Amino acid sequence: MTEIYGIYAILLLISSTITIYLAFYSWNKRLNPNAFYFSIVLIAVSIWSISEAFEMASLDIATKIIFSQISYIGIVLIGPFFLLFTMSYTGHKKWLKNQFIGLLMVVPIIVLFLVATNGWFGLIWPTIIPTSNQPGAILIYNHGVGFYVNTLYTYILITVGILLLLQSIIRSPKLFQKQSVIILIAAIIPIVANAIYILQSSPIPGLDITPFAFTITGILVAYSIFKYKLLDIVPIAYNKLFDKMGSGALVIDSEKGIVDINDAAKQILEINQKLIGKNVEEKLETFNELYPLDEIESESKKEILIEKPKMMWLNTQITVLESEKQLLGWLITFTDISARKIAENLLKKSEKEYRNLVDNALVGVYKTDLNGNILFTNDAMAHMMGYNSKDDFEEYKSYLMYENPGDRNYILNKLKMDGIIEKHEVNLKKKNGDVITVLLNSKLEGKIMSGMIMDITVMKDAEKQIKNSLEEKEMLLREIHHRVKNNLMVISSLLSLQSRYIKDEAYKNIFKESQNRARSMALIHELLYQSSDLKRINFGTFIKTLTNELFKIYIANQDLIELNIDVKEEVMVDINTAIPLGLIVNELVSNSMKHAFPDGRRGEIKISFKQLDYKYTLIVEDDGIGLPKGIDFKSTNSLGLRIVNSLTEQIDGELTLDNSMGSKFIIKFEEESYDENL
């Protein structure tokens, strides 16, 4: 009999080894709540089995009782943690809170207290009787109230766990049903064995075969862990992932029956849960063109257009589900890509319109690499370069187009430095050797040059003609100004000759003043034909030249009169303003030189001409005797002042006189804008 006990002890140790290994394996995956609770269950079973093994191997009664008490540490934990495991496994995690776990542990703690105090109260084992007088004989434990409370409590918890497993089996896809069934069987076997022990139906009196049953349970659990990845893929994880997928998904079994449908599939296809168990080929004609399923080796992807429940595009994928080359079924996933297809069609339409626009453009469009290979061009570019079609032109090398190879080097260096070049003129050679001038815009992105060219050969020829015409016009205008100047000088000379025959000094002075007026206008035309701008003259130069000539004419003793001219180097005035303004200067300066300093009087004549923005100020002043008192310079009979007043009105100027110290004429005006076409 002792040998049989040894065999039982060895079997228990084998069972313990299995459960300890599984507990260690599960503990390493404890970040998964399922694995954590499952590892505690296996640890509890291991404690029970090891304690029973040592109890069986012990010879004296006291030692056996101690190991029996130790076994209760595992016994009381099995029920609570089995329930926690099944709740986590089947998706009832909302109950897995510290308060609930603490409540579950109240009864186990009380039972452990009763086990520890059994010697005083006998609530677990009122009596303990050996089956024989032999050393190591099995002890028969009569059970007390504490034992039955723990047994009932454990059975209730395990029963609830079994019910949760049954519910999971019913609801889970077939892929996970086998896993749940194995766990259920593994849970039932120790319960049956324990019931046999409690009912005293064991073949050997007093022998609790429950720990032996756990050997079978351990084997089944090991099979489930390594065969079906119990702790890696569980139904609740599958369900959460399956339902929260953005894509529609159908799980099909090997008989082509619909096993599961996720929420996205229900919405996309407008179907419901009632289709589960139905044949997919009969109920969902949407996927008929993807079948037969049997011909799919591992995976198939396809974009399809369906008409029911509405017209839409689906991106579908069918994956074959196999285990050890045994067909389990298929997973069909699909996504509504109607918006993307519409966008793609619009993009294709836009690209087509863009290509039509580019091909029909009047300017050449091109794209080349840095080696001169033409990657893209339009018809206008090809025709511009003398080719019949862009296909022929794209076989050409872009660097052969340049009349001067140095132009291409300049363009490449400019692009590498700035990334872009705009409105650059360059000469290109056509297929027949003719040279055209183009306006080039280009940019560099990476190693690709792209841009546009416009043939401006005709425009450049027209520019040359216009330039030649303008040069001819300028020559003609210079000639006209030259001739006008000469004619005015002739008039001045004639007046000078004529004045020689006049004896009366008054009439002679009239001729002399007219001569100076003609000379003043001649000087303006002389400055015009000498200037680069045929429409404007440097009026500062005019004033200096004119006043110096008048100074020589009217001032006999130049040591007596000081002439000060305050004029900026360049003050440009339009010819339409310059002629009347020149006559005004002539009249005012002449008047000062003739009348301001009689009888050899010393004095100073100042002339100032300044510009501020578009406003001009001319000042002619002297410190001579001034105008006679009481004279109105705006209505005087003096021809010179009448000319000054008239010409000031002609240029829309304002004439004022300061007669406090000699005479000081101030003329302010704004130069008008003159229409060159008039």
Side-chain angles (χ1 to χ4, degrees), residues 342-359:
I342 292 172
E344 286 179 356
N345 292 334
L346 290 174
L347 180 60
K348 289 179 181 178
K349 182 180 179 182
S350 176
E351 287 179 349
K352 184 177 180 181
E353 292 175 351
Y354 166 76
R355 286 189 174 274
N356 290 335
L357 179 64
V358 169
D359 285 338

Side-chain angles (χ1 to χ4, degrees), residues 62-293:
T63 305
K64 286 181 178 291
I65 293 174
I66 290 173
F67 281 114
S68 183
Q69 289 175 318
I70 293 173
S71 69
Y72 261 82
I73 297 174
I75 292 171
V76 298
L77 294 178
I78 289 175
F81 279 93
F82 179 79
L83 177 62
L84 293 173
F85 164 69
T86 54
M87 292 177 71
S88 175
Y89 181 80
T90 56
H92 296 81
K93 291 184 179 180
K94 64 181 180 178
W95 294 97
L96 302 181
K97 298 179 180 179
N98 291 335
Q99 297 89 332
F100 179 73
I101 297 173
L103 186 63
L104 286 178
M105 296 305 297
V106 171
V107 173
I109 292 172
I110 294 173
V111 171
L112 286 176
F113 175 76
L114 295 179
V115 170
T117 60
N118 186 74
W120 294 308
F121 305 109
L123 295 176
I124 300 296
W125 307 299
T127 59
I128 302 174
I129 304 170
T131 55
S132 68
N133 294 324
Q134 294 181 359
I138 295 176
L139 301 178
I140 297 176
Y141 297 90
N142 293 319
H143 303 133
V145 175
F147 173 86
Y148 289 109
V149 168
N150 179 67
T151 301
L152 179 61
Y153 181 68
T154 302
Y155 277 27
I156 290 173
L157 297 182
I158 292 177
T159 301
V160 173
I162 289 173
L163 292 175
L164 292 175
L165 288 173
L166 288 172
Q167 184 185 49
S168 174
I169 292 171
I170 295 171
R171 293 183 177 180
S172 295
K174 290 184 178 180
L175 293 174
F176 299 103
Q177 286 180 354
K178 292 181 179 180
Q179 186 183 104
S180 298
V181 168
I182 291 173
I183 296 172
L184 179 63
I185 295 172
I188 292 175
I189 290 174
I191 294 175
V192 173
N194 188 254
I196 293 173
Y197 168 70
I198 293 173
L199 296 174
Q200 297 181 356
S201 300
S202 176
I204 301 175
L207 180 63
D208 186 357
I209 62 173
T210 306
F212 300 108
F214 276 114
T215 302
I216 301 173
T217 297
I219 294 171
L220 291 175
V221 171
Y223 178 78
S224 179
I225 286 175
F226 298 109
K227 173 72 175 179
Y228 296 105
K229 303 296 182 182
L230 170 65
L231 301 179
D232 295 327
I233 302 176
V234 293
I236 183 58
Y238 160 82
N239 289 331
K240 284 192 174 181
L241 176 63
F242 193 70
D243 288 334
K244 290 184 178 181
M245 286 174 61
S247 303
L250 300 174
V251 180
I252 313 299
D253 64 19
S254 59
E255 301 299 323
K256 299 182 182 178
I258 300 174
V259 175
D260 205 357
I261 308 169
N262 74 343
D263 293 337
K266 295 173 188 175
Q267 294 176 4
I268 295 173
L269 300 180
E270 297 183 8
I271 56 179
N272 54 43
Q273 206 76 11
K274 294 180 180 179
L275 290 180
I276 291 180
K278 308 295 183 181
N279 186 284
V280 67
E281 293 179 330
E282 296 175 358
K283 296 299 179 180
L284 291 179
E285 298 178 0
T286 296
F287 298 102
N288 278 352
E289 66 175 275
L290 296 175
Y291 304 134
L293 293 172

Side-chain angles (χ1 to χ4, degrees), residues 20 27 52 62 132 153 493 628 652:
I20 289 172
W27 183 257
E52 287 290 332
S132 68
Y153 181 68
S493 298
D652 290 332

